[in-house]
Amino acid sequence: MKLQVRIVQQKGSILQRKYTIQAATDHKHVADLRDLKLERCNELQGEYCIDTTTVRCMAWFSATVSSGVPLVFVNIQTEQIPSTEETHFLKREIATSKQKINNANQIMHGIRLWFLPGLAEILVVLIPQPGEARFGMEIKRTEEGFVYIYSVMRGSPADRAGVREMYEELSANEFLLVISRLQCKSIMPMNVCSASLVHCCDQSEMKDILTSAIDQYEMIQVHVMAWSNQTRPSPIPDVGGLAALLHPKSDSSL
């Protein structure tokens, strides 16, 4: 999100000349910049209600689509979870919230976000040849937790399997070629903890799996998500006044 701000002198810092930022259109809105640990940040937010959790959930999805991840919104729902149960879900959960009742018991509320690949989840089989030391694709992770392919070597197993062709087509339209499964095991961000930290797959473990397979000259199955040039995300409902944030940006890519 882009904000118009101005640099102003921080109150109470006449001698030390400390500065902070102020909203350009309202002098009453001043940011308090501090070096805090995550636990202290969560304590200051006080956003343990279902409405704010839903807003954060949709903001996460909006940022994901804006990054170029090919996802289509399907549905969003809430559900209660027993207080003794871990705050983890089975699929597609993006946020959790807490509500205190009678200052004693806690009821956990979860936000379940359902989404689909933009066009399809495509199975790609990478088959190395004797003497090849790599499958020929480099991977990165978006800030939202999705693993994607950012380069493919010509003449490599990935190139022969058609990955480079898909990568170049998507890159030309500023979309990402996202890996959704490796050896049929999902590597998508699927759940979060009560502190709103998104749990992602271990990227080093992915590289170990690929390295082990290439060392043994074994084929490996990779599922990727993509969409065609004509396909665009379906409309996303306005949750908490986020309509302006919930559309893909053509000029942004991680």
Side-chain angles (χ1 to χ4, degrees), residues 24 30 55 58 68 74 133 140 150 195 207 240 244 251:
V30 180
V55 170
M58 295 310 299
V74 176
K140 287 185 178 180
Y150 75 92
K207 292 183 178 180
D251 61 348

Side-chain angles (χ1 to χ4, degrees), residues 42-184:
N42 290 331
E43 182 181 342
L44 290 174
Q45 290 177 15
E47 294 182 349
Y48 291 117
C49 67
I50 207 68
D51 292 337
T52 53
T53 302
T54 302
V55 170
R56 290 199 304 271
C57 176
M58 295 310 299
W60 177 91
F61 184 80
S62 171
T64 297
V65 176
S66 297
S67 298
V69 178
L71 299 181
V72 172
F73 176 84
V74 176
N75 192 21
I76 187 171
Q77 64 187 99
T78 63
E79 62 183 69
Q80 291 188 357
I81 306 169
S83 58
T84 56
E85 185 177 333
E86 286 290 332
T87 315
H88 296 279
F89 303 103
L90 296 179
K91 290 187 178 181
R92 308 301 190 246
E93 282 73 21
I94 309 305
T96 58
S97 63
K98 297 179 180 178
Q99 289 185 347
K100 290 187 177 180
I101 299 179
N102 297 329
N103 296 324
N105 298 324
Q106 279 190 342
I107 293 182
M108 306 297 295
H109 285 84
I111 301 296
R112 186 183 294 265
L113 176 65
W114 298 93
F115 53 82
L116 291 174
L119 177 63
E121 191 180 30
I122 303 169
L123 171 62
V124 177
V125 180
L126 308 182
I127 305 176
Q129 295 179 351
E132 291 182 319
R134 299 181 60 191
F135 283 109
M137 58 184 186
E138 301 291 339
I139 61 175
K140 287 185 178 180
R141 192 197 304 274
T142 70
E143 292 183 357
E144 299 78 26
F146 291 86
V147 176
Y148 66 98
I149 299 171
Y150 75 92
S151 69
V152 181
M153 185 185 302
R154 290 183 178 272
S156 64
D159 186 13
R160 294 194 299 271
V163 177
R164 186 173 63 86
E165 183 179 355
M166 286 189 290
Y167 163 75
E168 291 180 348
E169 180 182 352
L170 288 173
S171 296
N173 292 277
E174 299 186 347
F175 296 136
L176 301 179
L177 183 59
V178 174
I179 300 177
S180 57
R181 285 188 278 172
L182 182 62
Q183 292 292 69
C184 296

